[in-house]
Amino acid sequence: MSIDTPTLVPQSAAGAVPAGAALDLIRTQPYTDWAPAVAAETRATLRRELEQGAVLYFPNLHFPFQSGEERFLDSRWSDGKSKNINLRADDRAVRGATGSEKDLADLYALIRRYAESSESLIHALFPEYIPHMTRAGTSLRPSQIAGRPVSWRKDDTRLHVDSFPSNPMLGKRLLRVFHNIDPAEPRVWRVGEPFGDFAKHFVPKTHGMWPGQAWLMKQLHITKRTRSEYDHRMLQLHDLAKADLDYQKTVPQQEFRFPPGSTWIVFSDQLLHAAMRGRAMMEQTIYLDPQAISDHTHSPEAVLTRMLGRPMLAA
Ligand code: SIN
Ligand code: FE
């Protein structure tokens, strides 16, 4: 399926999607500024769409390089061990990169500026989130993603929702701001059916934790904190989706090409997504307390709680 598909069915991100149907999950926005003035009514619409699982897409929201920064569009800055160059919030050390002291300082300035721009965008669009948000990692991903030799579990060209084995979220939401910083190549994504439909497909194949399992994983430093049932189920959903090649092919989905210089925002723990091609991207992760969400109908934790008939975050 491509964006040229002539008959995209207009589709609320919330509703069930018939097999084989095309989706239309991209909501295009006019803003050109990282701190736009947005009317309250528009903000409410954007928030509803985002929380329902749509992609907020800003084709004209550019993140310009400052002089000399174009040199970072090259995988030679990666240290070869990690796939991304990362900056943790409140850290001054860029991780996963090699270069001279000056290069690393310039790289820090670039990534830090992206973190600040992303944060100001979220502040401007969703002021209600401000008391509930925490800046997490910022990354520069300067390598082509197509054709990379990775295990199926790490293969982000397969549709998945984000979930991390060692970093239990305990219900905190993953809000991400992406920017295609490559001057020439689009970043090609696939996005898939609403979380509720995805969950219906795979939750029956997931299982709970053994008594003591969460405690033991924490003791053995497999997890940074005690894993909740929510995290345990989300991780299985991530793996089950990636392992099922038939599902990957047949699930209702949409391909979208984010052009150079464009920006997009998603809840990546909710939206089924896959990154197929693309050379250089920047990404900001924000953790959001669940109480920030105004419409819980579609949040993964609410969907799992409803399906399994008990709270997912109990100790
Ligand atoms: C992902 O979040 O799965 C990857 C996104 C990307 O690299 O474009
Ligand atoms: Fe992902």
Side-chain angles (χ1 to χ4, degrees), residues 175-191:
L175 182 60
R176 287 187 144 168
V177 183
F178 295 95
H179 181 77
N180 183 359
I181 201 160
D182 193 86
E185 271 200 34
R187 197 151 191 105
V188 183
W189 271 33
R190 290 185 293 145
V191 289

Side-chain angles (χ1 to χ4, degrees), residues 41-81:
E41 206 177 306
T42 309
R43 288 201 315 262
T45 305
L46 295 180
R47 186 174 175 196
R48 190 173 58 248
E49 292 178 332
L50 182 71
E51 292 182 2
Q52 285 181 346
V55 179
L56 301 185
Y57 166 53
F58 305 79
N60 302 311
L61 184 52
H62 308 314
F63 182 71
F65 282 125
Q66 290 182 358
S67 155
E69 287 178 342
E70 299 85 348
R71 73 187 190 283
F72 296 121
L73 286 172
D74 194 310
S75 52
R76 79 189 144 104
W77 301 101
S78 281
D79 66 4
K81 286 181 245 138

Side-chain angles (χ1 to χ4, degrees), residues 243-264:
D244 188 336
L245 292 178
D246 186 55
Y247 178 79
Q248 292 287 326
K249 248 192 282 169
T250 57
V251 64
Q253 60 190 275
Q254 172 185 15
E255 185 188 273
F256 194 79
R257 293 163 183 261
F258 297 99
S262 65
T263 303
W264 61 106

Side-chain angles (χ1 to χ4, degrees), residues 276-305:
M276 309 309 292
R277 270 202 82 73
R279 226 165 29 185
M281 189 183 67
M282 299 203 72
E283 168 270 332
Q284 176 64 47
T285 301
I286 290 162
Y287 296 154
L288 199 64
D289 297 331
Q291 62 264 39
I293 305 294
S294 67
D295 176 3
H296 283 277
T297 328
H298 314 285
S299 81
E301 193 260 325
V303 169
L304 296 184
T305 297

Side-chain angles (χ1 to χ4, degrees), residues 57-315:
Y57 166 53
F58 305 79
N60 302 311
L61 184 52
H62 308 314
F63 182 71
F65 282 125
Q66 290 182 358
S67 155
E69 287 178 342
E70 299 85 348
R71 73 187 190 283
F72 296 121
L73 286 172
D74 194 310
S75 52
R76 79 189 144 104
W77 301 101
S78 281
D79 66 4
K81 286 181 245 138
S82 24
K83 59 178 183 180
N84 304 328
I85 296 172
N86 285 294
L87 181 65
R88 293 190 182 171
D90 305 322
D91 210 346
R92 280 205 68 97
V94 174
R95 292 162 195 256
T98 51
S100 69
E101 212 171 301
K102 163 89 169 80
D103 290 329
L104 293 179
D106 290 354
L107 205 44
Y108 168 80
L110 168 69
I111 299 176
R112 177 82 196 193
R113 199 167 75 248
Y114 184 72
E116 278 157 12
S117 299
S118 302
E119 206 166 72
S120 74
L121 178 64
I122 299 298
H123 285 180
L125 297 177
F126 311 111
E128 302 84 355
Y129 287 174
I130 295 175
H132 303 290
M133 60 192 264
T134 314
R135 187 192 294 185
T138 317
S139 63
L140 168 66
R141 310 182 182 192
S143 314
Q144 173 56 256
I145 43 181
R148 273 207 303 222
V150 283
S151 68
W152 64 268
R153 206 177 252 118
K154 290 200 168 149
D155 183 0
D156 287 341
T157 69
R158 301 177 188 215
L159 288 161
H160 63 283
V161 290
D162 288 344
S163 175
F164 314 117
S166 64
N167 190 13
M169 297 308 299
L170 310 179
K172 275 200 202 299
R173 304 300 312 279
L174 280 170
L175 182 60
R176 287 187 144 168
V177 183
F178 295 95
H179 181 77
N180 183 359
I181 201 160
D182 193 86
E185 271 200 34
R187 197 151 191 105
V188 183
W189 271 33
R190 290 185 293 145
V191 289
E193 68 181 359
F195 186 87
D197 296 349
F198 164 61
K200 262 187 225 130
H201 197 97
F202 287 114
V203 166
K205 299 189 173 119
T206 63
H207 42 83
M209 285 185 283
W210 300 106
Q213 183 178 349
W215 176 85
L216 187 64
M217 285 193 295
K218 165 93 182 355
Q219 293 304 305
L220 297 175
H221 304 290
I222 294 169
T223 56
K224 291 186 204 165
R225 57 194 82 80
T226 308
R227 186 186 279 181
S228 64
E229 180 166 358
Y230 168 70
D231 292 285
H232 192 64
R233 302 268 181 183
M234 287 295 282
L235 208 51
Q236 292 173 77
L237 292 180
H238 168 279
D239 289 358
L240 284 163
K242 281 189 173 174
D244 188 336
L245 292 178
D246 186 55
Y247 178 79
Q248 292 287 326
K249 248 192 282 169
T250 57
V251 64
Q253 60 190 275
Q254 172 185 15
E255 185 188 273
F256 194 79
R257 293 163 183 261
F258 297 99
S262 65
T263 303
W264 61 106
I265 304 175
V266 303
F267 275 116
S268 68
D269 53 1
Q270 176 175 348
L271 174 77
L272 263 178
H273 63 281
M276 309 309 292
R277 270 202 82 73
R279 226 165 29 185
M281 189 183 67
M282 299 203 72
E283 168 270 332
Q284 176 64 47
T285 301
I286 290 162
Y287 296 154
L288 199 64
D289 297 331
Q291 62 264 39
I293 305 294
S294 67
D295 176 3
H296 283 277
T297 328
H298 314 285
S299 81
E301 193 260 325
V303 169
L304 296 184
T305 297
R306 272 201 309 275
M307 283 187 75
L308 293 161
R310 60 172 186 282
M312 291 288 102
L313 296 173

